[in-house]
């Protein structure tokens, strides 16, 4: 019996060695490095991890909607303590709040969005959580709010994900969307900063944000943001003002809106919840984040990847007329990831763009998601293994 098992093991090891030889002879881009290293590393990844437990979810039917998970994380700030402290995990559920709280009366609140991804070996990765923590701090300063430290933010996210790890979808079948909230929850009647704050993190498994083709309509009557406003941060008040035109656009068969700048009405800015890029030749252009456009973390990552691919990446004002000369258009965001735009309609004129496996956006999507899920080696330190 021992000799029989040994011969099977040797055969398997020889197969693995053959795969190593095959991959070592391939010429790959730096971002396309397969994660097959020394044989011992491969063996430990295959045999050392216990099989993950999963929630009873039809992972193949996931959309972008709330699925109730097990736990959320809550941490409070008070005027007496002057800091966030004693964060705890609690069962996911409703929260109690004073009717005069700052978030309810004056919209004093921020949120973030990031994802946890399952690797092939069932480990769990976060993607650039420190960037979300830093962006929340910038937003909190603009909204006259205290914020958790970067370490507190990341610790809260990690604890929330690990407490809900059975809800992290299997590799390649979705992700766990993590939503940190910072809210003014102290009692307040007058127009002034809240007297108390709550930092809360919850999570939900999600699939694709947009299913099907992405068809945009240019909105030239309603503006998402104005100079000097809060368009450059994730203030909760940035989103509901666009519900009306967005609902009307969807009723007319469009997927989303593309907003123009409020100053001139002639330059593109972003979608309702995504950044936008255009491709012409070897040049990729995206609108400058000058206070009215959210500096997306996916946007930032795609710019770095595209630059390493050899493209010239520009941040600049982009007149709407240039969109109609573009070879390819795509959108980015935590929820959307990277998605090709099928068409843009402006004042009755519709232009269609290239779609399919050969588009740049598909190559960028494959590279980014490969890094996020551990399929492609992360040489930039973007991912954080938490389980």
């Amino acid at each position: 019996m021992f000799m029989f098992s040994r011969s099977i093991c040797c055969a398997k090891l020889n197969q693995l060695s053959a795969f190593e030889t095959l991959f070592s002879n391939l010429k790959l881009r730096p971002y396309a490095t397969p994660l097959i290293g020394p044989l011992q590393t491969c063996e430990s990844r295959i045999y050392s991890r216990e099989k993950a437990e999963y929630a009873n979810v039809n992972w193949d039917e996931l959309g972008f909607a709330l699925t109730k998970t097990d736990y959320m994380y809550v941490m409070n700030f008070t005027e007496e303590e002057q800091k966030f402290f004693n964060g705890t995990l609690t069962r996911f559920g409703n929260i109690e709040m004073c009717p005069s709280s700052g978030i309810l009366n004056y919209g004093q609140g921020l949120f973030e969005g990031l994802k946890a991804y399952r690797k092939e070996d069932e480990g769990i990765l976060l993607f650039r959580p420190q960037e979300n923590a830093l962006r929340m701090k910038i937003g909190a300063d603009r909204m006259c709010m205290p914020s958790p430290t970067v370490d507190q933010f990341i610790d809260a996210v990690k604890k929330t994900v690990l407490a809900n790890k059975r809800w992290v979808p299997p590799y390649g079948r979705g992700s766990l969307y993590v939503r940190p909230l910072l809210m003014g929850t102290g009692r307040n009647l007058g127009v002034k900063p809240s007297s108390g704050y709550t930092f809360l993190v919850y999570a939900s498994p999600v699939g694709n944000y947009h299913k099907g083709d992405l068809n945009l309509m240019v909105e030239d009557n309603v503006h998402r943001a104005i100079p000097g406003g809060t368009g450059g941060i994730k203030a909760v008040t940035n989103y509901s003002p666009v519900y009306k035109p967005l609902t009307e656009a969807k009723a007319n068969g469009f997927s989303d809106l593309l907003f123009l700048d409020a100053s001139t009405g002639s330059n593109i800015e972003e979608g309702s919840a995504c950044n936008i890029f255009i491709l012409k030749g070897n040049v990729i252009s995206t609108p400058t984040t000058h206070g009215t456009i959210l500096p997306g973390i996916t946007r930032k990552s795609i710019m770095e990847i595209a630059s390493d691919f050899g493209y010239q990446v520009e941040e600049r004002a982009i007149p709407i007329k240039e969109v109609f000369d573009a070879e390819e258009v795509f959108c980015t965001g935590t929820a959307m990831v990277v998605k090709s735009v099928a068409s843009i309609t402006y004042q009755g004129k519709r232009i269609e763009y290239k779609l399919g496996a050969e588009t740049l956006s598909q190559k960028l999507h494959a590279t980014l998601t490969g890094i996020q899920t551990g399929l492609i080696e992360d040489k930039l330190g973007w991912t954080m293994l938490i389980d």
Side-chain angles (χ1 to χ4, degrees), residues 59 62 115-118 168-176 205-208 373:
W59 305 110
L62 279 178
K115 289 177 176 177
Y117 300 86
R118 186 79 68 171
V168 181
Y171 169 79
R173 297 170 73 184
S175 57
L176 186 72
V206 296
N208 293 330
T373 58

Side-chain angles (χ1 to χ4, degrees), residues 152-306:
Q152 285 177 321
F153 182 102
I154 294 175
D155 181 65
V157 168
K158 288 168 64 175
K159 286 178 177 175
T160 304
V161 172
L162 291 175
N164 294 295
K165 68 179 182 178
R166 71 192 188 99
W167 298 94
V168 181
Y171 169 79
R173 297 170 73 184
S175 57
L176 186 72
Y177 184 83
V178 184
R179 172 60 61 82
L181 294 167
L182 181 59
M183 305 172 286
T185 49
R187 299 177 180 182
N188 242 34
L189 189 58
V191 180
K192 61 180 181 179
S194 182
S195 58
Y197 298 87
T198 298
F199 176 65
L200 185 151
V201 185
Y202 69 93
S204 173
V206 296
N208 293 330
Y209 188 73
H210 281 294
K211 293 185 178 181
D213 290 343
L214 185 58
N215 296 294
L216 305 181
M217 185 188 81
V218 177
E219 174 56 58
D220 52 3
N221 292 315
V222 175
H223 297 288
R224 178 190 170 274
I226 60 173
T230 58
I233 61 173
K234 285 189 77 71
V236 298
T237 51
N238 288 351
Y239 296 85
S240 57
V242 306
Y243 287 173
K244 188 175 189 298
L246 181 59
T247 300
E248 292 171 351
K250 288 186 175 182
N252 288 316
F254 295 99
S255 313
D256 202 348
L257 294 172
L258 177 58
F259 292 95
L260 301 176
D261 72 300
S263 297
T264 70
S266 61
N267 298 320
I268 64 171
E269 290 210 321
E270 62 179 316
S272 62
C274 58
N275 296 118
I276 189 164
F277 291 78
I278 68 171
L279 170 68
K280 192 169 184 179
N282 195 53
V283 180
I284 299 172
S285 302
T286 190
T288 306
T289 57
H290 48 59
T292 57
I293 297 173
L294 185 73
I297 294 162
T298 306
R299 171 187 181 272
K300 180 179 180 179
S301 304
I302 286 300
M303 290 172 68
E304 294 182 52
I305 293 172

Side-chain angles (χ1 to χ4, degrees), residues 319-382:
I320 181 63
K321 63 182 180 181
E322 286 194 32
V323 170
F324 294 98
D325 296 327
E327 298 166 16
E328 189 178 332
V329 179
F330 56 92
C331 292
T332 65
T334 298
M336 185 176 293
V337 191
V338 185
K339 190 172 179 68
S340 295
V341 172
S343 72
I344 294 179
T345 300
Y346 177 54
Q347 296 180 345
K349 180 181 178 181
R350 175 186 170 102
I351 184 74
E352 296 183 349
Y353 302 99
K354 181 172 63 174
L355 302 174
E358 297 305 312
T359 58
L360 172 62
S361 65
Q362 286 284 16
K363 296 172 185 176
L364 292 170
H365 181 279
T367 301
L368 180 63
T369 56
I371 294 170
Q372 290 171 332
T373 58
L375 184 64
I376 294 174
E377 183 179 359
D378 175 16
K379 296 185 176 182
L380 297 171
W382 286 350

